[in-house]
Amino acid sequence: MPTKKKSQATAVTAEPPASDRRSELLGTAAEVFAEQGYNATTVRKIADHAGMLAGSLYYHFDSKESMLEEILRTFLDELWDGYDAVLGAGLGPRETLQALVTESFREIDRHRAAVAIYQKESKQLVAQERFAFLAESQRRFEKAWLSTLERGVAERAFRADLDVRLTYRFVRDTVWVAASWYRPGGQHSPDEIARQYLSMVLDGIAVRE
């Protein structure tokens, strides 16, 4: 009899923890939102990609809005954890800029789909009270980058004739558009891509004579 009980026990397959399943579903939802657009994505589409019934998805989330909010909050919380560490490290302006660019590419590596969603959907989402945190993050983001560039000009780490707002927009767009083509596990690591981008931004691409 003990042998029979043992065989029954080993036949039971352990269910994945609820938190792991929730993370998997959010990852699936992020990919679908990024590929098909938020408005075009239904709960049924997410459930189909996750291999489950739409009704079962409501066991974990009450709406697609709550899924999107969690996806974006998770991305931005991690982004600001990294940015705040850089900004509080007491680095010079050039080193701060380098560290912010590197941290940005690391976040693209971790949350590529969330970054793509943020870029495509944030202008429409900020009008909703639920997503007001996006506007606050945008203000913090702009302040962090502009203050770094302004400090660089003041300390003569960057050119005196530098248009800091134009430079901010150039660097911002150049870095974050990478989410449209970057795929984790590709030929270049996030840090290597950051190094190449920084070389072009800070040193240019022309051969120095």
Side-chain angles (χ1 to χ4, degrees):
M1 297 296 283
T3 304
K4 184 177 180 181
K5 289 182 179 180
K6 183 177 181 180
S7 64
Q8 289 177 333
T10 56
V12 176
T13 302
E15 291 292 330
S19 60
D20 290 349
R21 182 55 173 157
R22 185 183 181 86
S23 296
E24 290 174 3
L25 292 173
L26 285 172
T28 298
E31 292 293 340
V32 179
F33 286 143
E35 180 181 343
Q36 300 189 14
Y38 175 66
N39 289 331
T41 299
T42 63
V43 170
R44 182 178 295 279
K45 285 184 180 179
I46 297 171
D48 288 345
H49 279 76
M52 63 194 304
L53 297 174
S56 300
L57 194 61
Y58 285 109
Y59 173 79
H60 301 275
F61 306 96
D62 60 10
S63 65
K64 73 171 187 175
E65 288 83 3
S66 65
M67 298 184 77
L68 181 63
E69 181 181 0
E70 189 165 342
I71 289 166
L72 293 176
R73 282 191 182 277
T74 298
F75 155 57
L76 290 174
D77 285 349
E78 285 195 20
L79 176 70
W80 281 107
D81 282 346
Y83 272 21
D84 287 342
V86 170
L87 296 170
L91 302 172
R94 182 183 176 108
E95 291 74 23
T96 298
L97 180 66
Q98 291 172 323
L100 288 175
V101 169
T102 300
E103 187 61 37
S104 299
F105 276 108
R106 289 173 180 171
E107 287 305 314
I108 291 172
D109 181 62
R110 298 185 190 109
H111 298 287
R112 185 203 60 80
V115 174
I117 297 166
Y118 182 89
Q119 290 180 313
K120 294 176 183 177
E121 311 286 355
S122 60
K123 288 183 179 180
Q124 288 72 38
L125 292 173
V126 291
Q128 302 179 36
E129 184 177 354
R130 182 169 196 162
F131 295 97
F133 66 92
L134 296 176
E136 175 59 25
S137 181
Q138 288 169 357
R139 286 190 289 269
R140 289 179 64 193
F141 187 90
E142 182 174 312
K143 181 180 178 180
W145 285 82
L146 286 177
S147 62
T148 298
L149 292 167
E150 289 167 352
R151 185 161 61 95
V153 172
E155 296 179 12
R156 299 186 178 181
F158 304 141
R159 295 198 326 260
D161 64 341
L162 191 71
D163 184 321
V164 294
R165 187 164 291 277
L166 185 60
T167 303
Y168 154 68
R169 290 172 177 167
F170 172 75
V171 175
R172 177 197 64 190
D173 295 347
T174 299
V175 170
W176 291 104
V177 76
S180 66
W181 56 261
Y182 177 79
R183 293 296 180 272
Q187 182 179 357
H188 301 293
S189 70
D191 286 24
E192 172 60 19
I193 296 173
R195 188 186 69 78
Q196 292 283 350
Y197 269 54
L198 284 162
S199 175
M200 290 183 282
V201 169
L202 294 172
D203 302 320
I205 62 174
V207 175
R208 293 184 177 182
E209 297 181 357

